Amino acid sequence: MAERFYVTTPIYYVNAEPHIGHAYTTIVADVLNRFHTLRGMDTFFLTGTDEHGDKIAIAAEKNGQSPQEYVDRISKMFRDLWPTLDVENDRFIRTTDPEHIEVVQSILNRVNENGDIYFAEYEGLYCVECERFYTERELLDGKCPDHQTTPKVIKEANYFFRMSNYQDWLINHIKENPDFIRPERYRNEALSFLKEPLEDLCISRPKSRLTWGISLPFDDRFVTYVWFDALINYVSALGYPNGDLFHKFWPVSQHLIAKDILKPHGIYWPCMLKSAGIEPFQHLNVHGYWNVNAGKMSKTVGNVVKPLDLVGVYGLDPFRYFLLREMVFGLDSEFSEQALVARINSDLANDLGNLASRSLTMIQKYFKGVLPEPQAESLEDRELRDAALTLVDSCESVMVELSFHKALIAVWEFINQVNRYIVAMEPWVLAKTDKGRLATVIFHIYQSLKVISALIWPFMPGSAERLQKQLGLEVTGGKFTLDLVRKWGDGKPSGPVVKGEALFPRVETKSFPEPVKKSPEFLPEIDFDQVQKVDVRVATVLAAEPIPKSKKLLKLTVDAGEERTVVAGIAEHYAPEDLIGAQVVIVANLKPVKLMGVESRGMVLAASDENGVRLLSPRAACVPGCKVQ
Ligand code: MSP
């Protein structure tokens, strides 16, 4: 039986129109889902909309519509957007669906019967935007830290969920299952929430204040708190408790969210599941934020980038590629149109587009579009084949860990290797001198393109399928599984190889004024003696961890011929787990300094410009501690 895969996105609030943040999470889910299809798995992909609560009721009123009319309209915008982004979800759930409402009520009853719900009078500071009570301690100058508004004092009787009952269980569960919440920085963040005693969760709102919600099954005077309702979508969509889909997919569930909603997913949801007697989800995958113009993007800031606008300008696949290539999963990224265009022109038009176009042209020109039979394999051919097969394995291992950028980097290293192979083999010379050898070379280029087309399919399904059609392949898209890809050279094209239109046209950069080149302000000259006083060395990173309370600093343990601790201000640009094993360059004889309580012996060298910070490293592996001069 095929293995299974189940991925969810958050269900988006319908108080805002879809923007790049929603598009990112949903495209990531689509990429993961497609990749697991390639792995031959039985997959299920869920997205949808979150339609109850204060926020929505207020937005409906502002728009002069009834809540139902309003949620129908905005929910449809989300539902209609996904196919235009080549997102192929299996189900679109709405929390106003009658089946969902029924499941929420049945879970509430179950949790209540377990004795985990009680009724109590509560007075607290309530932020309407967040739809939650705050403690004084959590406020910043008396204001909600997210919305900078003064919470209202609300006194009311409500139902509470005894989340505190599950605190110890949850701490153990997170500790025993290191990849329950990942990447690690968010696992640590969840564990740090859990250092404080967990307060019980207020799960009702009196109908005197809010009617737009799911009635509590055991007290009709109240509606359910929107998070208690929304989180349940992940099981109600599968037909919990008896649905086949639930039995099939819940045991392999993976949630995708951004860091903004870590607490409800990492804390409330596992406790709710435990109380309802449902096994915990498998993974909570948490990514960072896309920032536009250096600010957090939200509709209140008013700098929302509409994904459709950019897709219309540059095409869908370049947009999907850019999002997945640019963001390190777990860290924040800066969105820039200029960076998108740079990637289109270099990675897509230049590297991949040119490779495809020159290869297809050669097959047409030298072999009339019919793939030739190879002859004896040379060392170079074997190297190319080995690199392709290793690439498939390495993509598989980084993709399941959500390192999309690493998978794409690896594919592009291979694309460049094929381009170098073409240059070294000089098929245009072989065409005149050695047809047999030419056939072998062309055969290997063709097989390489086949591998590339499969690996880019999850990211850029449309372009990959176009390339596969041009290659005359019979099985295309998600049916071209990794198992088939691993059979190098197996199977003939079913049709002729035909070069079609360019896969990725270049983008004219005229509209982007070239940055004015100013010569940098260099420092005054120094003598060679002075240069020699700086002891620069290569070091291998053995361990990397964030420094508590510091946004910028990472503590690196490096092997520089001897083991040392070096503190580097790169936390906003590199995930600690990505640095392990990497080689960096350090100034080794800088006087030790203490940074946020950690003694740093040395300084890591990095280049920085408006696009960010990049560590320097040797082009090939060096003996740790070797001198740089
Ligand atoms: N309705 C809740 C989720 C309930 S899930 C049971 C909600 N909705 S939301 O519309 O605010 O969506 C939040 C999610 O949108 C984030 O977790 C993330 O997936 C995505 N993003 C919104 N803005 C984003 C960025 N600027 N960057 C990246 N993703 C962001 O919370």
Side-chain angles (χ1 to χ4, degrees), residues 11 13 19 21-22 25 50 227 234 258 260-261 287 289-290 297:
I11 46 171
Y13 283 131
H19 60 63
H22 308 123
T25 315
D50 187 354
W227 272 105
Y234 301 133
D260 55 336
I261 49 177
H287 63 76
Y289 250 63
W290 279 101
M297 212 181 11

